[in-house]
Amino acid sequence: MFWLSSGGCYRPCLCVQELIGGSLSPNNIDVPPLTLGVHWASGIVTPANPTYTVDELTFQLKDSGAKAIATLVELLPVVTKAAANAGIPEDRIILLGDTRIPKYKHWREIHDPTQTMKWRRSKIDAAKDMAFLVYSSGTTGHPKGVMLSHQNVSSDVLMLMAAEGSNLSWQNDRIIAFLPFFHIYGLTCGLIPRRGERIETDGSRFDSA
């Protein structure tokens, strides 16, 4: 499968090593399992900014080589047009979040959860294979895709654990995921698990003081 995903008031996209896909959504509880699932299948995640226009999303879908995209129902107007522009068929538009509509499959409906253990994790070269294809802001032109290997990301997570790991406990601590999952800092500080501390993705519960 191919995926594209997004994050919290921002949109990320997900892709795969040889087969590339994407998604558009705010920081949502479905983003972490989908991201890690793509990595399990040796896929690449390419996050996209949720404020993207149709033309901007079209550029990233084409430039990354995405073959599918996952999104929230409310973002379908942008996604469907960009997907069509990039040559992605409608049956490869996958839904995230709680709201569902008959025309598109939800990512949880893609396979039978009881059969999950039949699939083995793909082998990768952590130093060479990409985990994320994160796009720059494109201040002086089109955004540029930045290739980050699994080793790049795991090294960053290990640094975070060394710096603050002793201050966090999975039994008691929560982390508010206000950083966008389409940004590498949001990915390594919020989305990627370290020592099991819980991630709170529902920003609507908190004041933006």
Side-chain angles (χ1 to χ4, degrees):
M1 291 301 298
F2 314 85
W3 308 97
L4 200 75
S5 163
S6 47
C9 302
Y10 307 85
R11 311 165 181 162
C13 312
L14 310 179
C15 298
V16 184
Q17 225 46 293
E18 294 178 357
L19 312 175
I20 301 187
S23 129
L24 201 65
S25 149
N27 282 3
N28 184 279
I29 193 61
D30 285 344
V31 174
L34 189 58
T35 299
L36 297 175
V38 172
H39 284 166
W40 179 272
S42 76
I44 302 166
V45 178
T46 174
N49 190 319
T51 63
Y52 272 176
T53 62
V54 171
D55 288 343
E56 289 170 328
L57 181 58
T58 297
F59 170 79
Q60 183 161 335
L61 292 177
K62 286 183 175 181
D63 192 67
S64 66
K67 305 300 180 185
I69 182 166
T71 191
L72 297 179
V73 169
E74 52 267 37
L75 296 174
L76 281 172
V78 172
V79 170
T80 52
K81 292 177 182 177
N85 293 341
I88 298 174
E90 281 199 329
D91 62 0
R92 292 199 176 179
I93 296 176
I94 312 298
L95 295 179
L96 301 168
D98 296 329
T99 306
R100 307 187 185 195
I101 56 177
K103 187 175 182 179
Y104 302 100
K105 282 189 176 182
H106 192 272
W107 74 275
R108 293 177 181 271
E109 302 170 340
I110 297 301
H111 66 85
D112 182 355
T114 63
Q115 303 299 312
T116 301
M117 295 309 295
K118 289 186 177 181
W119 302 100
R120 293 185 178 181
R121 183 174 57 181
S122 301
K123 293 183 179 180
I124 62 167
D125 185 332
K128 296 180 180 179
D129 289 341
M130 273 192 289
F132 293 104
L133 181 59
V134 184
Y135 277 73
S136 66
S137 60
T139 305
T140 58
H142 282 303
K144 307 297 189 299
V146 180
M147 298 182 291
L148 299 174
S149 70
H150 288 267
Q151 185 170 287
N152 291 149
V153 177
S154 60
S155 296
D156 201 12
V157 172
L158 287 172
M159 285 192 291
L160 284 169
M161 289 176 62
E164 61 183 40
S166 60
N167 297 319
L168 297 172
S169 164
W170 68 267
Q171 294 100 329
N172 304 311
D173 294 322
R174 307 289 187 273
I175 295 178
I176 301 174
F178 63 89
L179 294 168
F181 287 164
F182 75 82
H183 191 282
I184 190 60
Y185 197 53
L187 293 173
T188 55
C189 291
L191 187 146
I192 303 297
R194 294 181 292 281
R195 291 189 176 178
E197 59 269 21
R198 300 181 185 181
I199 307 299
E200 172 60 67
T201 59
D202 183 10
S204 63
R205 294 175 51 194
F206 304 96
D207 293 331
S208 56

